[in-house]
Amino acid sequence: MVDTSAPSRVIDGVRAARVVRPESADDVAAALREANDAGQAVAPIGGATQLDLGMPPTRVDLALETSALDKVVEYEPADLTVTVEAGLRFSELQKLLSAQGQFLALDPPVDDQATIGGVIATNVSGPLRFSSGTARDLVIGTRVANPAGTLTRAGGRVVKNVAGYDLNKLYVGSLGTLGLLVELSFKLAPIPPATGTVAGAFADLDAVSSAAAAIVRSSLSPLAVELLGPGAARAAGLAEQYTLVFRAGGYPQAVDRQVRDLGTLVTNHGGQALETSDTLWDDLARLRREAQQRDIVVKAAAPIATSTALVRLLEKTLEGREATVWAHAGNGLAYAACDAPVTADTLERLRSDVAGLGSNASLVIQRCPTDLKREVDVWGDPGSSLPLMRALKTKLDPKNTLNPGRYVGGI
């Protein structure tokens, strides 16, 4: 285990008193047990790319970094499964898999430093969630270091093994508040032999809504359906209009048919077909990564049918701030990124307007200045689920050792 006494991690203004970088799962468990017994607070850290997410921690006595846990434990290409340590970089995992014509069907807006454990703990995703789902759909097994110093497994290393499967889902998106992921198993997908892209520009959001609804109702099955606001479309090198971008994948003949039919659907709903470059999806990934580094980043969720309404709300509320707005139009998620100043009142008003779109509609502030977090809860109201979440936290981390204060409801 590497132990450095020089404080080198700051989370929302709270500086870690000590940093350790364990070199094995056993070392992680030992470090957790020592901190737990001493009543110290531990902040799990992967690639340190998502430290702005969540509320400020109440304290950080120990920053526990997983970057040294970077090994491939088991890879079975024939079974389309892989098991890796949590500190392996996400980009390195995809590179390894691509050599066998496979990939993990996640495309989150993260940089090369992001670890696979961090991606899962923060539950970030991208356009491929339309066809492949999120991390909860792809994780088939976990190994977790618990605050008491034990290592436990859930699920397994093969897709048909469902023992403890639901427990895996507890750790996805839990921000390291229930246990520290040290190993993960995934089901994989073959890289499509061919892909194609269709982009259409629309004069207004009503036309976009009509086209997007037609896609969802049709027999077409694109890999991704993205909606770009005018600013985002311009940044991606497209027309400065509301733009729908579709990605098709599969065997060449099937892709050709999908591209043709998607193009027809766009024009039938008043859209103008756009020429696209071979690098468009790389450009969109870069756009999302850069947007995530702006002062304010919000994620809004509502029923799929309200995707365009979400975009309209975000644009209207953040008007004049040169906001970048985009949406996973087939999933009911929309994002906006802009620079400060944005007041707490503005964000609360936006949250209220989003909530008006449906019973499960919500808004999470993924990034904002620490001072603003003292005025507004970035997670919002968790509703009736909070007592259950607190009970789980108490059961799995009774001394509140892991990331105290950062998660929903101050967990």
Side-chain angles (χ1 to χ4, degrees):
M1 182 185 301
V2 177
D3 188 335
T4 173
S5 59
S8 59
R9 291 299 182 195
V10 179
I11 303 174
D12 274 323
V14 181
R15 184 177 296 275
R18 191 163 62 98
V19 178
V20 298
R21 299 182 182 91
E23 297 179 337
S24 70
D26 288 334
D27 285 346
V28 172
L32 275 181
R33 181 176 61 250
E34 179 183 339
N36 190 65
D37 290 346
Q40 296 178 340
V42 177
I45 295 176
T49 62
Q50 296 283 330
L51 296 186
D52 295 309
L53 184 63
M55 295 296 287
T58 54
R59 68 187 196 283
V60 180
D61 300 304
L62 176 68
L64 200 158
E65 301 189 353
T66 63
S67 55
L69 278 66
D70 59 357
K71 299 178 182 61
V72 176
V73 178
E74 183 178 316
Y75 180 27
E76 296 292 344
D79 294 334
L80 287 171
T81 60
V82 69
T83 298
V84 298
E85 291 184 330
L88 181 66
R89 292 183 182 180
F90 178 77
S91 59
E92 288 297 317
L93 173 60
Q94 296 289 40
K95 182 179 178 180
L96 166 76
L97 299 175
S98 68
Q100 295 291 330
Q102 299 175 354
F103 76 124
L104 179 60
L106 287 173
D107 54 349
V110 296
D111 63 30
D112 287 343
Q113 298 302 311
T115 63
I116 186 62
V119 167
I120 301 308
T122 55
N123 197 26
V124 288
S125 59
L128 282 177
R129 66 180 294 149
F130 179 76
S131 57
S132 301
T134 65
R136 285 187 172 90
D137 304 294
L138 302 177
V139 174
I140 59 175
T142 54
R143 191 182 187 205
V144 176
N146 302 290
T150 57
L151 291 165
T152 56
R153 291 187 186 275
R157 295 181 180 179
V158 294
V159 174
K160 65 180 180 181
N161 185 341
V162 297
Y165 185 76
D166 285 341
L167 189 59
N168 293 325
K169 297 181 180 180
L170 286 178
Y171 299 115
V172 178
S174 65
L175 207 63
T177 56
L178 301 178
L180 201 153
L181 292 165
V182 295
E183 188 178 293
L184 293 134
S185 298
F186 299 97
K187 59 181 177 180
L188 307 174
I191 296 174
T195 59
T197 299
V198 173
F202 294 81
D204 56 61
L205 279 171
D206 290 336
V208 170
S209 181
S210 175
I215 289 291
V216 173
R217 293 194 304 266
S218 76
S219 60
L220 296 171
S221 54
L223 299 178
V225 182
E226 292 292 279
L227 167 57
L228 309 177
R234 180 185 67 248
L238 300 170
E240 192 171 353
Q241 294 178 268
Y242 294 108
T243 303
L244 279 174
V245 186
F246 307 95
R247 188 173 196 177
Y251 290 104
Q253 286 185 323
V255 171
D256 289 343
R257 187 184 71 249
Q258 289 260 338
V259 167
R260 182 181 64 250
D261 292 348
L262 286 166
T264 299
L265 187 146
V266 165
T267 55
N268 286 348
H269 287 80
Q272 177 186 356
L274 300 175
E275 293 290 332
T276 60
S277 70
D278 294 338
T279 64
L280 177 58
W281 288 97
D282 290 335
D283 294 337
L284 292 177
R286 172 189 50 78
L287 180 151
R288 295 195 306 275
R289 287 195 301 271
E290 292 177 352
Q292 295 281 352
Q293 298 307 309
R294 298 185 72 177
D295 294 339
I296 307 290
V297 182
V298 300
K299 178 179 75 172
I304 293 174
T306 66
S307 292
T308 52
L310 281 176
V311 170
R312 183 178 284 112
L313 275 177
L314 293 170
E315 290 189 322
K316 180 180 179 182
T317 303
L318 301 176
E319 187 176 5
R321 295 179 174 88
E322 297 184 358
T324 301
V325 180
W326 72 99
H328 303 323
N331 296 100
L333 290 179
Y335 299 80
C338 66
D339 293 323
V342 176
T343 66
D345 287 343
T346 297
L347 293 173
E348 292 288 17
R349 184 174 71 253
L350 178 58
R351 175 171 279 153
S352 177
D353 290 342
V354 168
L357 295 176
S359 58
N360 294 319
S362 62
L363 181 126
V364 172
I365 303 166
Q366 294 190 310
R367 179 182 169 96
C368 71
T370 302
D371 288 345
L372 192 55
K373 293 182 180 184
R374 297 190 179 99
E375 301 180 58
V376 58
D377 187 332
V378 301
W379 300 107
D381 183 4
S384 60
S385 64
L386 185 58
L388 176 59
M389 296 170 71
R390 289 194 187 282
L392 284 169
K393 174 69 170 177
T394 300
K395 181 68 174 179
L396 298 176
D397 182 17
K399 292 187 177 182
N400 201 22
T401 297
L402 293 167
N403 260 342
R406 287 188 68 192
Y407 200 47
V408 177
I411 292 175

